[in-house]
């Protein structure tokens, strides 16, 4: 009898897509028609800039130390590319919108804002961005064969105007992020959550989910003895990660069928409006982003924390003031509080990088086959600057980017580069043949010294 061959693409079709799929395996029979791991693109956005003196690394290209605000990323130093000397001149001289609005509108589009009626800081003439964002451009150009072209996730974004939009399908066409992790889980993995339809509908959903997991479990059980130890560990870890997410969403019960169970015990939902729940919401969104990438449900993800000019509170860090107010408190205490917030954001990025790095793909990891871009809408917060942006790359896009280096374009009297060129460099690293991106007046070609 010919052994059953399971391809990742077949698992992503039909009912199996409603729960989970096998991540990339080393065994040739599991790869189907994909001989190499796909490349992925992840954007990690945090608000309100940074403190340059506390963010920029110190040292030379290959012999440098991570700054205090980047220290949580130390375990991934070999897979990082912190950058110095990147300007956002495309929005520097615009008189439309505040620096916060201009910054977030141009971050991924490389274009200025259109005129409108949105209020941002001391301005009330901001509109949406005037171009497509890089994530959507990559999806349109590369056309990945995934169930979700892109996945836009938000963590307490709240603002529905230009300050709260990072992604655009085109000029004047913002894309809102998914802020509800319960909705995200259902869309990605088909978790049964209470809703309209009564117990009969829930019974059908539970039965369907049980059937899908049973089928997946049977197929994994059949092929598991025929794969190597690394693939067995990967299969087990992947299935456990999906169940871990479901269990947290279910308030500890896991929402699975047990003896005498009459319905999915989801427990108390997380209050999405409570600032104190930001860590829990963010962790759920990051876990689902990593699982969706590993499952090949999508290859392009944006994770947006709050909104530009954010006034979010951080009670879980024992801070009383809001983020934006703290960012303009220039005394020693204010800078210490501000640094505490941004060190915490670096810790969240470290958590995400760790999740991505935990998935082995041949002699690389999912992180190695990804390019992660950490961005914020302004640079030095006290000045609302849009020059020398604190941008950082992680992962090498499958070996294209030369990581483990601090690339300082201002070193030895060097000149600043444009962030449009950074976006173009990422596009080419992902596999496009673009020669420009965003406003062509601010894009002269790919950045040197990254590949």
């Amino acid at each position: 009898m010919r052994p059953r061959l399971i391809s990742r693409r077949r698992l992503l079709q039909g009912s199996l897509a409603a729960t989970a799929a096998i991540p990339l395996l080393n065994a040739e029979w599991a790869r189907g028609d994909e001989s190499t791991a796909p490349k992925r693109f992840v954007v990690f956005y945090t608000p309100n800039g940074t403190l340059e003196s506390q963010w920029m690394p110190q040292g030379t290209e290959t012999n440098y130390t991570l700054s205090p605000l980047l220290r949580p990323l130390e375990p991934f130093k070999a897979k990082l590319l912190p950058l110095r000397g990147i300007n956002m001149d495309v929005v520097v001289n615009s008189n439309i919108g505040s620096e916060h609005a201009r910054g977030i509108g141009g971050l991924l589009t490389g274009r200025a804002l259109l005129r409108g009626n949105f209020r941002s800081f001391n301005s009330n003439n901001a509109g949406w961005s005037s171009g497509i964002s890089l994530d959507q451009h990559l999806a349109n150009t590369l056309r990945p064969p995934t169930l979700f072209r892109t996945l836009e996730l938000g963590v307490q974004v709240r603002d529905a105007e230009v300050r709260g939009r990072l992604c655009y399908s085109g000029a004047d066409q913002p894309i809102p992020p998914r802020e509800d992790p319960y909705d995200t889980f259902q869309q990605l993995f088909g978790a049964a959550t209470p809703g309209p339809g009564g117990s009969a509908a829930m019974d059908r959903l539970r039965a369907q989910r049980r059937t899908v997991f049973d089928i997946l479990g049977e197929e994994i059980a059949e092929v598991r003895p025929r794969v190597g130890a690394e693939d067995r560990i990967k299969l087990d870890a992947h299935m456990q990660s999906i169940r871990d997410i479901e269990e947290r969403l279910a308030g500890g019960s896991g929402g699975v069928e047990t003896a005498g169970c009459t319905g999915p015990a989801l427990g108390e939902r997380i209050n999405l409006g409570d600032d104190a729940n930001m860590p829990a919401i963010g962790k759920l969104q990051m876990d689902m982003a990593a699982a969706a990438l590993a499952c090949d449900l999508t290859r392009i993800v944006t994770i947006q924390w709050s909104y530009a000019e954010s006034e979010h509170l951080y009670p879980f860090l024992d801070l009383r003031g809001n983020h934006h107010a703290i960012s303009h408190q220039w005394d020693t205490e204010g800078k210490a509080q501000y640094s505490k917030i941004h060190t915490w954001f670096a810790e969240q990025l470290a958590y995400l990088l760790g999740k991505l790095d935990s998935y082995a793909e041949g002699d690389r990891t999912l992180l190695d086959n990804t390019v992660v871009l950490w961005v914020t809408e302004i640079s030095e917060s006290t000045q609302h600057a849009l020059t020398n942006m604190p941008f950082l790359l992680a992962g090498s896009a499958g070996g294209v980017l030369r990581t483990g280096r601090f690339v300082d374009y201002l070193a030895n009297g060097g000149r600043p580069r444009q962030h449009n060129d950074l976006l173009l460099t990422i596009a080419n690293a992902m596999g496009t043949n673009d020669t420009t991106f965003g406003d062509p007046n601010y894009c002269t070609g790919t950045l040197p010294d990254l590949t």
Side-chain angles (χ1 to χ4, degrees):
M1 179 179 177
R2 185 177 181 181
R4 179 186 300 182
L5 304 183
I6 299 180
S7 71
R8 296 174 68 250
R9 186 161 298 170
R10 184 165 77 84
L11 282 174
L12 289 168
Q13 295 171 342
S15 61
L16 288 180
T19 53
I22 293 179
L24 287 169
L25 304 179
N26 297 330
E28 289 302 321
W29 56 264
R31 286 182 174 169
D33 57 356
E34 295 179 2
S35 58
T36 59
K39 297 178 182 179
R40 292 81 155 198
F41 178 49
V42 175
V43 177
F44 190 89
Y45 165 84
T46 58
N48 283 334
T50 191
L51 290 172
E52 182 177 335
S53 62
Q54 297 293 306
W55 191 94
M56 286 295 170
Q58 299 296 314
T60 63
E61 177 183 356
T62 57
N63 184 20
Y64 71 95
T65 58
L66 290 174
S67 57
L69 297 187
L70 297 181
R71 204 155 289 152
L73 301 176
E74 185 71 36
F76 307 98
K77 185 178 177 182
K79 301 188 179 187
L80 302 180
L81 267 171
L83 306 174
R84 180 170 181 257
I86 304 293
N87 292 351
M88 290 183 66
D89 286 354
V90 69
V91 296
V92 165
N93 297 319
S94 171
N95 62 358
I96 301 176
S98 71
E99 291 86 352
H100 287 283
R102 283 184 260 157
I104 193 170
L107 270 179
L108 298 185
T109 65
R111 290 186 177 273
L113 296 181
L114 298 169
R115 192 170 294 276
N117 298 314
F118 297 136
R119 182 174 180 80
S120 60
F121 204 47
N122 293 319
S123 172
N124 59 4
N125 66 345
W128 301 117
S129 183
S130 59
I132 190 171
S133 55
L134 180 59
D135 55 311
Q136 300 303 306
H137 171 72
L138 290 175
N140 293 344
T141 303
L142 301 176
R143 302 180 67 84
T146 54
L147 289 175
F148 297 87
R149 293 174 65 256
T150 58
L151 182 61
E152 297 80 27
L153 300 179
V155 183
Q156 295 186 322
V157 173
R158 298 173 178 169
D159 195 288
E161 298 185 350
V162 63
R163 300 181 306 175
R165 296 296 177 260
L166 185 66
C167 304
Y168 289 82
S169 59
D172 213 23
Q173 300 176 56
I175 301 174
R178 297 172 183 265
E179 298 188 59
D180 187 337
Y182 297 85
D183 173 70
T184 302
F185 185 76
Q186 176 150 353
Q187 291 297 314
L188 289 174
F189 306 110
T193 56
S199 60
M202 291 306 301
D203 287 343
R204 288 193 297 271
L205 285 172
R206 288 198 304 273
Q208 181 184 43
R209 182 175 60 175
R210 184 174 60 248
T211 300
V212 168
F213 269 111
D214 287 346
I215 294 172
L216 181 59
E218 290 171 2
E219 294 197 340
I220 288 178
E222 182 175 338
V223 300
R224 191 176 183 278
R226 300 200 299 272
V227 302
E230 182 180 342
D231 283 338
R232 288 198 296 272
I233 293 173
K234 189 184 306 181
L235 288 174
D236 295 343
H238 175 70
M239 291 301 297
Q240 185 59 49
S241 70
I242 298 298
R243 291 190 173 103
D244 286 346
I245 295 171
E246 186 177 22
E247 183 173 352
R248 269 182 285 149
L249 287 174
S253 70
V256 297
E257 292 293 328
T258 57
C261 180
T262 58
L266 296 179
E268 292 292 329
R269 282 176 58 100
I270 295 174
N271 181 354
L272 302 182
D274 186 347
D275 287 1
N277 286 334
M278 188 184 222
I281 298 168
K283 189 174 183 182
L284 284 169
Q285 298 285 56
M286 289 188 292
D287 281 354
M288 283 184 277
L293 291 166
C295 293
D296 210 24
L297 296 175
T298 189
R299 297 177 185 176
I300 302 170
V301 175
T302 55
I303 302 176
Q304 179 181 341
W305 296 80
S306 194
Y307 62 95
E309 195 184 320
S310 172
E311 295 179 320
H312 203 285
L313 300 176
Y314 293 82
F316 51 90
L317 296 178
D318 296 323
L319 300 178
R320 291 184 296 275
N322 75 67
H323 192 181
H324 191 249
I326 290 173
S327 74
H328 288 286
Q329 188 177 336
W330 297 0
D331 58 17
T332 301
E333 181 183 359
K335 289 183 178 180
Q337 293 180 18
Y338 185 79
S339 297
K340 195 172 186 178
I341 294 172
H342 284 264
T343 300
W344 182 80
F345 276 129
E347 291 170 352
Q348 305 318 296
L349 178 59
Y351 176 82
L352 176 63
L353 297 184
K355 294 292 292 187
L356 299 180
D357 212 34
S358 69
Y359 289 99
E361 295 182 339
D363 57 355
R364 292 195 174 108
T365 68
L366 194 157
L367 175 58
D368 297 325
N369 293 316
T370 302
V371 54
V372 180
L373 173 64
W374 183 13
V375 292
T376 184
E377 79 273 12
I378 58 175
S379 54
E380 183 70 29
S381 67
T382 58
Q383 301 177 26
H384 278 197
L386 292 163
T387 56
N388 199 19
M389 300 296 293
F391 292 156
L392 178 142
L393 298 171
S396 65
V400 176
L401 302 176
R402 293 188 293 119
T403 58
R405 301 178 300 124
F406 169 39
V407 178
D408 183 358
Y409 292 111
L410 302 182
N412 303 315
R415 62 182 179 86
R417 307 288 176 149
Q418 295 304 314
H419 105 286
N420 290 57
D421 294 342
L422 172 60
L423 299 179
L424 175 64
T425 303
I426 294 172
N428 286 181
M430 288 292 295
T432 77
N433 295 317
D434 297 308
T435 57
T436 187
F437 185 80
D439 188 334
N441 293 320
Y442 296 91
C443 190
T444 59
T446 57
L447 291 175
D449 303 323
L450 292 190
T451 60

